[in-house]
Amino acid sequence: MRLDSHHTAVFRDLSLRSRELAGSLCGTSFSGDASCDWYHAAWPVLRLINAVSTPYWHLDFYDFAFRALHHELGNDEPKIIVVGAADFSMAAVIHETSPSANPEITVLDQCGTAIRYANYWAETHRIPLQTQRKSVLSPDEEDLERFDIAASDALLTRFPGPSRGAVLSAIRSRLRPGGAFVTTVRDHSRVAPKVSRHEYPIDQQGLTAKGQHDLAQHGFDTSTVSVFSEMVRQYCKRMQSFTFMGLDEVSDLAKNSGFRLEHVESCATPGEFRETTYLRLMLRRD
Amino acid sequence: MGRDLTHYFEARAHKAAVLRAVDQGELPLKFAYAGSARETHERLSRSEGYQASNWRVDAEIARLRSIGAPVKLEVIDFGPGDGVHTSQIIRALAAGSQVTRYTGVDFSRSLFVQARRVLDAEHPNLRVDFQWADLEQPFSLIHDPTTKCPVLFLAIGGLLGNVEDHASAALNIFEAVPSGCLGLISVSALIPNANAEEYVEPYRTPVFRDAALEPLRAAGYSLDDAAFALSWDVNARAVVGVAELQAGVEYDRRENPPQCSADSIGRRQVRVFLSRRFTLTEISELLESVGFAIVDIGTDESGRRIDAIVRKP
């Protein structure tokens, strides 16, 4: 697993401000809670210690997908939308892997904190970035069929089964005909083989001893780690992912939402609490 | 350097790996299937005579039938290429077996996208999955616990003869497949009393030359006038293809320059193609040495291919 040093610095900065930002910017949660502040406050801390899902687990796949789409498109200014961001990581992966000279990257999230995290990264590295604070389910008229590529990492398991079709259809509506949606989903139907990771920084109760040690290694004092510990405890208590039952469900969902399954691959990742199997997908708008 | 939309790599890391390999004079064949090389490989695999000289599905299926292939099968396919050979195998298997799930395992994601198109079109009810692996490095496979039917793995089309280290590849496959599974392995045979030209002649085509040289083109080498020589290496018992490079390449600043001197070379020779031939004894000893039990093995009617059925104890 890789966390680039420049991302470490950004996540460290954001960790110190995340509770305040989430308190003022978070709105209605994707999970239907009154606020997603518990999620976005803890998120930079969790990313800093490699405790949660990240597109960098799938960097080789995204590298392949964005390169292949770039060569197929044949232009240096593809329009790419990141749907459901959590932070800046998916935009950063696109920036790192796309061979395009000037990709137009738009980050969409319904939460102002996620948008702020993305903008903070873009401003820090002087990377052009457009943002939209809105629900994935409500595309603007001018965004219909506007984008060449949509991308999101581990988004669909944030939604219960019945609503996934609507999410996929809304993403499809933003893609031009022939456009592609590149994403990953957790596959709960299969057990992942062991990968080389023995200690996890969090468990169901919150930070483990390793997690606390890792935060101390990043230079945080005891009282700051204690504050982070409570934020992480809230996250572990409230976080919920919905079951996704493998290739058959993905195939049906894609087909019923107007996509063709162009590429799917299975992979094992370290996972959040245990090794986890993911499906990596490239869906083509019919 | 402007970005070349015709010749390109599948992954950023591939360019650095290819330039390191050029520096060492031996370019693994796996790069000739990924990125823009997917297209040159596809043209090769559909060219006249390619299928006839690389596989015979009837012989492969006959050998499977002779040992009683199970009624229901999950297929794991190492190096499926563009899916044409695999599709023919699955179609032939359907006469007596039902393939419930198919997993391709390959270094090339680009080629697997094409394989998927072929399999989806010709076997619309087949569950098709893919797992990326470099067969020359240890890897694990993700298994479906709900699949109760026996596994048949395929390592066909001369796969073990085209990797750099066939012993490591055979061992890695053995370690990755489940115990009790059957496997169909086919390799090209050493032909008794054949002369060098008999081995080399099928490769003397412009389409093959383009396929072999494409990774170098993707790395930025200008190869229009490059010499490309095919020969039979008696010691390695392999057909080898060697390109003579006239000049180095420049780096795109967005790419990671590798720690090698390939950007400043003069003339140099690089082996870009390798296809080994095996005797029955050699391939039997190789497969048994990694742990497989040989159920059945023999050459086909042409004497040019060896098909083996193996079982992992």
Side-chain angles (χ1 to χ4, degrees):
Chain A
M1 181 170 26
R2 173 182 146 189
L3 183 67
D4 287 348
S5 56
H6 54 286
H7 292 177
T8 302
V10 172
F11 278 125
R12 193 182 183 287
D13 289 350
L14 290 174
S15 293
L16 291 167
R17 301 171 55 205
S18 63
R19 194 167 58 158
E20 175 195 340
L21 288 171
S24 62
L25 294 172
C26 281
T28 305
S29 166
F30 52 81
S31 60
D33 290 351
S35 172
C36 53
D37 55 354
W38 58 271
Y39 178 92
H40 285 111
W43 189 257
V45 178
L46 293 163
R47 286 285 283 110
L48 187 62
I49 56 175
N50 288 320
V52 285
S53 171
T54 161
Y56 284 91
W57 284 348
H58 310 285
L59 191 62
D60 56 337
F61 163 67
Y62 288 125
D63 190 17
F64 155 70
F66 294 131
R67 276 171 181 270
L69 291 168
H70 165 78
H71 289 288
E72 177 191 303
L73 287 166
N75 81 61
D76 258 346
E77 298 175 347
K79 293 179 174 61
I80 305 173
I81 184 166
V82 177
V83 183
D87 60 42
F88 55 82
S89 297
M90 192 72 234
V93 164
I94 293 167
H95 182 75
E96 287 176 30
T97 61
S98 174
S100 308
N102 299 299
E104 180 191 304
I105 304 174
T106 301
V107 167
L108 177 148
D109 202 289
Q110 70 179 19
C111 175
T113 312
I115 296 293
R116 179 65 66 87
Y117 291 165
N119 277 326
Y120 183 78
W121 163 79
E123 288 159 8
T124 301
H125 297 291
R126 298 182 182 182
I127 293 164
L129 187 72
Q130 299 185 25
T131 55
Q132 293 183 7
R133 182 177 179 177
K134 64 178 55 173
S135 165
V136 63
L137 296 169
S138 314
D140 288 341
E141 186 81 14
E142 62 265 28
D143 280 346
L144 297 176
E145 300 195 348
R146 175 164 179 257
F147 295 95
D148 301 299
I149 300 166
S152 71
D153 191 63
L155 176 74
L156 290 172
T157 36
R158 299 289 190 228
F159 298 91
S163 60
R164 288 176 191 151
V167 173
L168 260 189
S169 295
I171 291 170
R172 182 184 180 278
S173 73
R174 291 172 168 90
L175 288 169
R176 63 164 177 75
F181 178 39
V182 180
T183 191
T184 63
V185 295
R186 249 173 282 179
D187 177 0
H188 296 88
S189 71
R190 291 180 292 171
V191 178
K194 291 284 179 193
V195 293
S196 55
R197 178 165 154 175
H198 304 292
E199 282 188 273
Y200 284 81
I202 60 171
D203 61 20
Q204 306 289 350
Q205 277 70 50
L207 281 176
T208 62
K210 175 177 170 39
Q212 295 191 29
H213 170 79
D214 289 352
L215 285 171
Q217 290 294 105
H218 282 293
F220 297 117
D221 60 27
T222 309
S223 64
T224 306
V225 172
S226 176
V227 171
F228 288 167
S229 186
E230 176 54 24
M231 286 152 59
V232 171
R233 196 181 69 79
Q234 286 295 322
Y235 174 92
C236 294
K237 183 178 154 191
R238 302 176 72 163
M239 188 56 208
Q240 184 181 14
S241 282
F242 297 94
T243 302
F244 216 115
M245 291 309 292
L247 190 54
D248 288 343
E249 187 177 343
V250 165
S251 300
D252 290 345
L253 186 62
K255 190 176 170 186
N256 295 335
S257 306
F259 283 104
R260 178 166 48 80
L261 197 52
E262 186 158 281
H263 179 76
V264 58
E265 65 179 85
S266 302
C267 71
T269 68
E272 296 190 353
F273 300 109
R274 66 186 69 83
E275 285 87 354
T276 307
T277 298
Y278 275 77
L279 294 171
R280 297 160 164 179
L281 309 167
M282 188 151 73
L283 308 180
R284 185 74 67 169
R285 178 183 164 163
D286 281 336
Chain B
M1 186 176 75
R3 289 186 190 87
D4 190 335
L5 293 175
T6 308
H7 309 291
Y8 58 91
F9 285 111
E10 177 178 298
R12 183 165 52 173
H14 285 192
K15 182 168 186 177
V18 164
L19 291 178
R20 273 196 301 273
V22 166
D23 213 35
Q24 292 160 6
E26 295 180 343
L27 177 60
L29 196 54
K30 61 191 174 190
F31 294 107
Y33 303 98
S36 55
R38 171 191 71 84
E39 295 168 45
T40 46
H41 174 74
E42 267 190 86
R43 280 198 288 278
L44 173 65
S45 71
R46 283 148 205 230
S47 61
E48 189 178 345
Y50 180 88
Q51 292 189 18
S53 62
N54 281 279
W55 70 77
R56 274 191 54 195
V57 171
D58 53 349
E60 292 162 337
I61 292 298
R63 200 167 295 280
L64 267 176
R65 291 266 169 267
S66 71
I67 55 103
V71 175
K72 280 193 170 185
L73 285 171
E74 177 184 350
V75 170
I76 299 173
D77 189 8
F78 295 100
D82 64 2
V84 173
H85 188 184
T86 299
S87 181
Q88 292 173 5
I89 291 270
I90 289 173
R91 192 181 308 123
L93 279 171
S97 305
Q98 181 194 353
V99 178
T100 58
R101 186 184 183 105
Y102 169 87
T103 302
V105 182
D106 207 323
F107 179 80
S108 170
R109 291 183 167 96
S110 323
L111 206 49
F112 196 77
V113 169
Q114 176 59 25
R116 183 180 189 91
R117 279 189 204 120
V118 171
L119 294 168
D120 282 349
E122 298 184 12
H123 309 279
N125 297 319
L126 184 65
R127 285 200 299 172
V128 178
D129 192 9
F130 171 76
Q131 294 183 38
W132 184 92
D134 182 343
L135 298 185
E136 293 179 85
Q137 304 293 329
F139 60 93
S140 299
L141 290 175
I142 300 162
H143 295 293
D144 186 345
T146 62
T147 303
K148 302 292 184 199
C149 61
V151 169
L152 170 70
F153 79 83
L154 308 173
I156 53 181
L159 176 77
L160 287 178
N162 290 134
V163 294
E164 291 292 302
D165 181 350
H166 53 287
S168 292
L171 179 61
N172 294 332
I173 288 171
F174 175 82
E175 297 286 353
V177 296
S179 294
C181 72
L182 284 173
L184 170 62
I185 296 170
S186 68
V187 294
S188 297
L190 195 70
I191 308 165
N193 304 318
N195 62 39
E197 189 54 27
E198 284 179 74
Y199 289 111
V200 173
E201 192 277 332
Y203 299 99
R204 293 195 198 283
T205 71
V207 178
F208 177 81
R209 180 182 184 278
D210 281 346
L213 295 178
E214 184 60 24
L216 294 176
R217 290 199 167 103
Y221 290 101
S222 176
L223 292 161
D224 290 345
D225 301 320
F228 177 62
L230 285 158
S231 63
W232 172 248
D233 184 327
V234 175
N235 295 322
R237 291 178 172 176
V239 178
V240 295
V242 174
E244 184 166 289
L245 304 178
Q246 305 292 332
V249 299
E250 297 172 19
Y251 293 116
D252 185 325
R253 72 178 173 76
R254 284 171 65 98
E255 307 284 352
N256 291 324
Q259 299 301 310
C260 70
S261 59
D263 58 334
S264 57
I265 59 169
R267 293 163 71 96
R268 80 165 57 204
Q269 292 191 329
V270 183
R271 191 255 288 150
V272 297
F273 178 71
L274 174 76
S275 178
R276 286 192 187 82
R277 301 299 188 264
F278 297 88
T279 65
L280 268 174
T281 304
E282 280 173 334
I283 194 68
S284 299
E285 288 179 353
L286 170 66
L287 297 174
E288 287 174 338
S289 72
V290 301
F292 285 119
I294 293 179
V295 179
D296 188 23
I297 190 166
T299 51
D300 69 0
E301 289 174 356
S302 72
R304 291 175 176 271
R305 276 168 302 276
I306 299 170
D307 299 319
I309 307 292
V310 298
R311 184 185 298 277
K312 179 174 177 178

